[in-house]
Amino acid sequence: MSDGGRDANDTAAADGFEPDPERVEFLRAIADDVRGDTSESKQLANVLYRTSDLYDEREDTSPEEIVRNVKFILEVTERGGLDR
């Protein structure tokens, strides 16, 4: 999506989130390590994965979008899941 000629990657770079494959790999490895059977560990892993998207040049996201996604994840969990 374009915003005045700047795409999300340009905006992310301007905000200090330039593509960084090593950081993406690092954050996703931590997410894999912390993911467990508890809902809390799954939530944390999901947040780390979404955060890593800021540094993944293949992703089109912004910090604001990630905050909205994280809030949604927490709200769904608080309600007991998507099925309820």
PDB file of all heavy atoms in Angstrom, residues 25-38:
ATOM      1  N   GLU A  25      15.739 -13.674  11.827  1.00  0.00           N
ATOM      2  CA  GLU A  25      16.074 -15.054  12.212  1.00  0.00           C
ATOM      3  C   GLU A  25      16.217 -15.188  13.725  1.00  0.00           C
ATOM      4  O   GLU A  25      15.721 -16.144  14.328  1.00  0.00           O
ATOM      5  CB  GLU A  25      17.370 -15.470  11.522  1.00  0.00           C
ATOM      6  CG  GLU A  25      17.746 -16.900  11.741  1.00  0.00           C
ATOM      7  CD  GLU A  25      19.017 -17.282  10.990  1.00  0.00           C
ATOM      8  OE1 GLU A  25      19.267 -16.729   9.902  1.00  0.00           O
ATOM      9  OE2 GLU A  25      19.755 -18.132  11.514  1.00  0.00           O
ATOM     10  N   PHE A  26      16.866 -14.214  14.356  1.00  0.00           N
ATOM     11  CA  PHE A  26      17.077 -14.236  15.806  1.00  0.00           C
ATOM     12  C   PHE A  26      15.744 -14.183  16.558  1.00  0.00           C
ATOM     13  O   PHE A  26      15.488 -14.992  17.455  1.00  0.00           O
ATOM     14  CB  PHE A  26      17.983 -13.067  16.201  1.00  0.00           C
ATOM     15  CG  PHE A  26      18.258 -12.969  17.669  1.00  0.00           C
ATOM     16  CD1 PHE A  26      19.052 -13.900  18.300  1.00  0.00           C
ATOM     17  CD2 PHE A  26      17.733 -11.932  18.416  1.00  0.00           C
ATOM     18  CE1 PHE A  26      19.319 -13.812  19.666  1.00  0.00           C
ATOM     19  CE2 PHE A  26      17.984 -11.824  19.777  1.00  0.00           C
ATOM     20  CZ  PHE A  26      18.781 -12.772  20.399  1.00  0.00           C
ATOM     21  N   LEU A  27      14.880 -13.227  16.192  1.00  0.00           N
ATOM     22  CA  LEU A  27      13.588 -13.094  16.871  1.00  0.00           C
ATOM     23  C   LEU A  27      12.725 -14.335  16.681  1.00  0.00           C
ATOM     24  O   LEU A  27      12.060 -14.796  17.616  1.00  0.00           O
ATOM     25  CB  LEU A  27      12.852 -11.854  16.368  1.00  0.00           C
ATOM     26  CG  LEU A  27      13.403 -10.515  16.849  1.00  0.00           C
ATOM     27  CD1 LEU A  27      12.776  -9.371  16.066  1.00  0.00           C
ATOM     28  CD2 LEU A  27      13.165 -10.347  18.338  1.00  0.00           C
ATOM     29  N   ARG A  28      12.757 -14.886  15.482  1.00  0.00           N
ATOM     30  CA  ARG A  28      11.942 -16.079  15.225  1.00  0.00           C
ATOM     31  C   ARG A  28      12.499 -17.314  15.930  1.00  0.00           C
ATOM     32  O   ARG A  28      11.735 -18.188  16.353  1.00  0.00           O
ATOM     33  CB  ARG A  28      11.787 -16.293  13.729  1.00  0.00           C
ATOM     34  CG  ARG A  28      10.913 -15.181  13.138  1.00  0.00           C
ATOM     35  CD  ARG A  28      10.722 -15.271  11.666  1.00  0.00           C
ATOM     36  NE  ARG A  28       9.908 -14.133  11.214  1.00  0.00           N
ATOM     37  CZ  ARG A  28       9.659 -13.844   9.969  1.00  0.00           C
ATOM     38  NH1 ARG A  28      10.136 -14.626   9.001  1.00  0.00           N
ATOM     39  NH2 ARG A  28       8.929 -12.794   9.651  1.00  0.00           N
ATOM     40  N   ALA A  29      13.810 -17.373  16.093  1.00  0.00           N
ATOM     41  CA  ALA A  29      14.401 -18.480  16.854  1.00  0.00           C
ATOM     42  C   ALA A  29      13.997 -18.394  18.323  1.00  0.00           C
ATOM     43  O   ALA A  29      13.670 -19.417  18.944  1.00  0.00           O
ATOM     44  CB  ALA A  29      15.919 -18.466  16.718  1.00  0.00           C
ATOM     45  N   ILE A  30      13.993 -17.187  18.869  1.00  0.00           N
ATOM     46  CA  ILE A  30      13.545 -17.012  20.259  1.00  0.00           C
ATOM     47  C   ILE A  30      12.077 -17.406  20.378  1.00  0.00           C
ATOM     48  O   ILE A  30      11.683 -18.079  21.326  1.00  0.00           O
ATOM     49  CB  ILE A  30      13.762 -15.558  20.731  1.00  0.00           C
ATOM     50  CG1 ILE A  30      15.259 -15.252  20.828  1.00  0.00           C
ATOM     51  CG2 ILE A  30      13.093 -15.323  22.090  1.00  0.00           C
ATOM     52  CD1 ILE A  30      15.567 -13.803  21.089  1.00  0.00           C
ATOM     53  N   ALA A  31      11.266 -16.979  19.403  1.00  0.00           N
ATOM     54  CA  ALA A  31       9.844 -17.331  19.417  1.00  0.00           C
ATOM     55  C   ALA A  31       9.670 -18.844  19.433  1.00  0.00           C
ATOM     56  O   ALA A  31       8.835 -19.371  20.178  1.00  0.00           O
ATOM     57  CB  ALA A  31       9.135 -16.715  18.216  1.00  0.00           C
ATOM     58  N   ASP A  32      10.446 -19.543  18.622  1.00  0.00           N
ATOM     59  CA  ASP A  32      10.366 -21.002  18.595  1.00  0.00           C
ATOM     60  C   ASP A  32      10.768 -21.604  19.938  1.00  0.00           C
ATOM     61  O   ASP A  32      10.170 -22.586  20.391  1.00  0.00           O
ATOM     62  CB  ASP A  32      11.249 -21.573  17.483  1.00  0.00           C
ATOM     63  CG  ASP A  32      10.709 -21.269  16.093  1.00  0.00           C
ATOM     64  OD1 ASP A  32       9.496 -20.986  15.958  1.00  0.00           O
ATOM     65  OD2 ASP A  32      11.515 -21.318  15.142  1.00  0.00           O
ATOM     66  N   ASP A  33      11.779 -20.998  20.585  1.00  0.00           N
ATOM     67  CA  ASP A  33      12.246 -21.504  21.876  1.00  0.00           C
ATOM     68  C   ASP A  33      11.224 -21.307  22.987  1.00  0.00           C
ATOM     69  O   ASP A  33      11.078 -22.164  23.856  1.00  0.00           O
ATOM     70  CB  ASP A  33      13.556 -20.826  22.283  1.00  0.00           C
ATOM     71  CG  ASP A  33      14.756 -21.339  21.518  1.00  0.00           C
ATOM     72  OD1 ASP A  33      14.647 -22.392  20.859  1.00  0.00           O
ATOM     73  OD2 ASP A  33      15.813 -20.674  21.565  1.00  0.00           O
ATOM     74  N   VAL A  34      10.523 -20.160  22.985  1.00  0.00           N
ATOM     75  CA  VAL A  34       9.602 -19.884  24.089  1.00  0.00           C
ATOM     76  C   VAL A  34       8.221 -20.494  23.880  1.00  0.00           C
ATOM     77  O   VAL A  34       7.466 -20.637  24.830  1.00  0.00           O
ATOM     78  CB  VAL A  34       9.446 -18.369  24.374  1.00  0.00           C
ATOM     79  CG1 VAL A  34      10.771 -17.747  24.741  1.00  0.00           C
ATOM     80  CG2 VAL A  34       8.788 -17.641  23.235  1.00  0.00           C
ATOM     81  N   ARG A  35       7.919 -20.857  22.633  1.00  0.00           N
ATOM     82  CA  ARG A  35       6.595 -21.435  22.373  1.00  0.00           C
ATOM     83  C   ARG A  35       6.480 -22.760  23.124  1.00  0.00           C
ATOM     84  O   ARG A  35       7.335 -23.613  23.061  1.00  0.00           O
ATOM     85  CB  ARG A  35       6.384 -21.681  20.883  1.00  0.00           C
ATOM     86  CG  ARG A  35       4.970 -22.170  20.559  1.00  0.00           C
ATOM     87  CD  ARG A  35       4.748 -22.373  19.086  1.00  0.00           C
ATOM     88  NE  ARG A  35       5.021 -21.190  18.294  1.00  0.00           N
ATOM     89  CZ  ARG A  35       4.175 -20.178  18.111  1.00  0.00           C
ATOM     90  NH1 ARG A  35       3.003 -20.199  18.698  1.00  0.00           N
ATOM     91  NH2 ARG A  35       4.507 -19.152  17.356  1.00  0.00           N
ATOM     92  N   GLY A  36       5.427 -22.874  23.864  1.00  0.00           N
ATOM     93  CA  GLY A  36       5.193 -24.092  24.634  1.00  0.00           C
ATOM     94  C   GLY A  36       3.718 -24.430  24.630  1.00  0.00           C
ATOM     95  O   GLY A  36       2.975 -24.020  23.735  1.00  0.00           O
ATOM     96  N   ASP A  37       3.300 -25.144  25.649  1.00  0.00           N
ATOM     97  CA  ASP A  37       1.911 -25.588  25.726  1.00  0.00           C
ATOM     98  C   ASP A  37       0.982 -24.556  26.353  1.00  0.00           C
ATOM     99  O   ASP A  37      -0.226 -24.646  26.190  1.00  0.00           O
ATOM    100  CB  ASP A  37       1.823 -26.896  26.516  1.00  0.00           C
ATOM    101  CG  ASP A  37       2.515 -28.042  25.791  1.00  0.00           C
ATOM    102  OD1 ASP A  37       2.562 -28.005  24.546  1.00  0.00           O
ATOM    103  OD2 ASP A  37       3.002 -28.963  26.470  1.00  0.00           O
ATOM    104  N   THR A  38       1.526 -23.589  27.075  1.00  0.00           N
ATOM    105  CA  THR A  38       0.674 -22.615  27.747  1.00  0.00           C
ATOM    106  C   THR A  38       0.251 -21.510  26.786  1.00  0.00           C
ATOM    107  O   THR A  38       0.957 -21.192  25.824  1.00  0.00           O
ATOM    108  CB  THR A  38       1.396 -21.970  28.948  1.00  0.00           C
ATOM    109  OG1 THR A  38       2.476 -21.171  28.469  1.00  0.00           O
ATOM    110  CG2 THR A  38       1.914 -23.025  29.918  1.00  0.00           C
TER     111      THR A  38
END
